[in-house]
């Protein structure tokens, strides 16, 4: 019996040398990854972080380790609405580890997977920016909105939100530069529809340029935008407001609207904007004629009925 016990002890020592020496065993990469499959995300985060920090992983396995650590963070975030209590930097950590996996993966084994994880992280990056912005933590908000833009340069909501951070920190020039970049980048895409973030960027540009005495810049931008997005009511309204605020340019506005309607007489949106401008100038009779013309093309329009009823 004694010989058998000694034999078992020797075998145990050979298999588990660290335990025999009084040392704790270190988790393996595979064991740590399997914790994610078991939905033990906190343990996976702890073990994978330890392996990476202690440099106990061969260099060729580092992309795998960083990818799965990013996955563990993403899974934990998705599962726990109060994730910030335990991991305040969880979203940032997930982003960094997925980015690191992409950067280190020369063989391309985990690159595509990590890139898909970064796409999955996009709304989390944006929401984290909103979270910090609402808490007036502007540096943190700028960081997360910035990462969202870096992760997806066409995320115009994130770009617009970052411009609001610039305004909140009194950096108006930076905000204007962001709006200029956004509108120019979107124009390059040559898409007919106008998303709300870009529409608002045009509106913000045309509200801040006149404050700097640059009304011509505002009108030039709007003229280009109107050409590319002829169906945008918001842009027409924005342009109208610029002219309304600049009485000396109202005759220029009249000529502009006349030219458009001569080419596109059935453009009711332009007719309505023009009629509103004429009313603001006290030219009620001419405006009413325009409202009547609109109804000949579309009798379901509510605004002409309302204005004509009030006038007559």
């Amino acid at each position: 019996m004694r010989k058998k016990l000694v034999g078992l002890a020797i075998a145990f020592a050979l298999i588990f040398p660290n335990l025999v020496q009084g040392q704790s065993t270190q988790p393996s990469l595979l064991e740590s990854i399997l914790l994610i499959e078991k939905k033990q995300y906190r343990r996976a985060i702890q073990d994978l972080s330890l392996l990476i920090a202690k440099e106990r992983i061969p260099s060729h396995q580092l992309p795998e380790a960083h990818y799965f650590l990013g996955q563990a963070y993403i899974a934990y975030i998705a599962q726990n609405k109060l994730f910030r209590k335990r991991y305040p930097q969880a979203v940032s950590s997930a982003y960094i580890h997925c980015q690191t996996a992409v950067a280190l993966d020369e063989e391309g084994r985990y690159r595509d997977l990590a890139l898909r994880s970064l796409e999955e992280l996009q709304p989390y990056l944006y929401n984290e920016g909103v979270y910090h912005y609402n808490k007036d933590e502007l540096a943190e908000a700028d960081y997360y909105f910035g990462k969202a833009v870096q992760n997806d340069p066409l995320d115009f909501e994130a770009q617009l939100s970052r411009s609001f951070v610039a305004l909140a920190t009194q950096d108006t020039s930076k905000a204007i530069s962001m709006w200029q970049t956004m509108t120019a980048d979107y124009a390059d895409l040559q898409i007919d529809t106008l998303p709300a973030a870009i529409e608002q960027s045009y509106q913000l540009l045309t509200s801040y340029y006149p404050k700097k005495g640059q009304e011509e810049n505002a009108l030039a931008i709007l003229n280009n935008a109107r050409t590319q997005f002829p169906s945008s009511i918001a842009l027409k309204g924005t342009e109208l407001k610029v002219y309304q605020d600049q009485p000396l340019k109202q005759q220029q506005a009249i000529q502009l609207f006349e030219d458009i309607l001569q080419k596109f007489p059935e453009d009711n949106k332009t007719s309505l904007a023009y009629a509103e401008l004429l009313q603001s100038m006290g030219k009620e009779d001419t405006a009413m004629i325009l409202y009547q013309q609109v109804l000949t093309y579309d009798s379901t329009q509510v605004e002409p009925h309302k204005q004509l009823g009030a006038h007559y």
Side-chain angles (χ1 to χ4, degrees):
M1 174 67 73
R2 185 176 179 183
K3 288 183 178 179
K4 186 178 290 186
L5 290 173
V6 170
L8 289 171
I10 292 172
F12 188 83
L14 290 171
I15 297 172
F16 304 108
N18 290 335
L19 289 179
V20 173
Q21 295 171 16
Q23 299 175 2
S24 62
T25 57
Q26 296 294 334
S28 71
L29 178 57
L30 178 59
E31 290 170 335
S32 302
I33 292 171
L34 288 176
L35 290 171
I36 300 174
E37 293 294 323
K38 298 175 182 178
K39 298 185 179 181
Q40 298 178 23
Y41 304 127
R42 283 172 49 189
R43 178 73 182 281
I45 290 170
Q46 174 185 319
D47 289 359
L48 285 165
S49 298
L50 180 65
L51 286 170
I52 292 172
K54 298 294 185 182
E55 298 181 351
R56 290 196 167 95
I57 302 175
S59 60
H60 71 277
Q61 289 185 312
L62 278 174
E64 182 180 6
H66 282 287
Y67 165 72
F68 280 106
L69 181 50
Q71 284 295 295
Y73 273 117
I74 292 172
Y76 186 80
I77 293 166
Q79 187 187 61
N80 298 274
K81 292 182 179 179
L82 302 178
F83 66 87
R84 297 183 190 90
K85 286 188 174 181
R86 181 167 293 276
Y87 299 114
Q89 305 297 323
V91 175
S92 176
S93 296
Y95 175 79
I96 290 169
H97 286 293
C98 289
Q99 282 278 25
T100 304
V102 172
L104 295 179
D105 192 11
E106 296 179 357
E107 298 178 3
R109 293 172 57 224
Y110 288 91
R111 178 181 175 83
D112 288 344
L113 290 171
L115 287 172
R116 282 199 290 271
S117 294
L118 287 170
E119 290 179 8
E120 187 180 349
L121 267 173
Q122 186 66 17
Y124 292 113
L125 289 167
Y126 178 80
N127 289 339
E128 204 67 1
V130 173
Y131 171 80
H132 288 288
Y133 183 83
N134 290 337
K135 291 175 63 99
D136 206 29
E137 296 169 350
L138 298 180
E140 291 83 357
D142 186 66
Y143 170 82
Y144 283 104
F145 287 139
K147 290 302 180 187
V149 173
Q150 183 179 335
N151 197 41
D152 180 5
L154 297 182
D155 186 340
F156 296 110
E157 286 289 343
Q159 291 191 47
L160 183 63
S161 297
R162 199 178 187 198
S163 76
F164 292 151
V165 175
L167 285 179
T169 56
Q170 309 300 313
D171 195 345
T172 306
S173 296
K174 182 178 179 180
I176 289 175
S177 177
M178 289 180 179
W179 301 328
Q180 289 173 327
T181 300
M182 287 174 62
T183 52
D185 287 348
Y186 191 78
D188 288 342
L189 296 176
Q190 296 185 340
I191 300 174
D192 292 337
T193 56
L194 191 62
I198 301 300
E199 202 168 76
Q200 195 168 353
S201 295
Y202 279 118
Q203 292 169 340
L204 288 164
L205 274 173
T206 54
S207 67
Y208 274 87
Y209 269 134
K211 293 177 183 178
K212 294 176 172 290
Q214 300 176 14
E215 295 85 358
E216 291 298 334
N217 284 346
L219 292 171
I221 287 173
L222 284 170
N223 184 49
N224 291 334
R226 183 168 33 74
T227 301
Q228 185 166 2
F229 310 109
S231 63
S232 173
I233 298 174
L235 285 181
K236 288 185 174 70
T238 302
E239 187 172 24
L240 175 61
K241 188 175 186 310
V242 174
Y243 285 120
Q244 287 174 332
D245 293 342
Q246 303 293 324
L248 295 178
K249 295 186 180 296
Q250 288 180 347
Q251 191 57 45
Q252 180 181 342
I254 289 175
Q255 186 61 52
L256 173 69
F257 283 119
E258 291 284 357
D259 290 344
I260 295 172
L261 291 174
Q262 187 173 0
K263 295 177 183 176
F264 308 102
E266 298 181 20
D267 185 348
N268 284 340
K269 294 172 184 176
T270 297
S271 294
L272 291 172
Y274 184 23
E276 187 178 342
L277 174 63
L278 291 170
Q279 282 183 291
S280 71
M281 298 170 64
K283 299 185 177 184
E284 287 285 332
D285 292 340
T286 309
M288 294 308 119
I289 294 172
L290 273 172
Y291 284 128
Q292 290 171 338
Q293 288 176 354
V294 168
L295 291 177
T296 61
Y297 293 115
D298 183 2
S299 61
T300 64
Q301 290 278 350
V302 175
E303 187 62 23
H305 284 296
K306 186 166 66 174
Q307 294 296 334
L308 287 165
H311 183 74
Y312 294 111

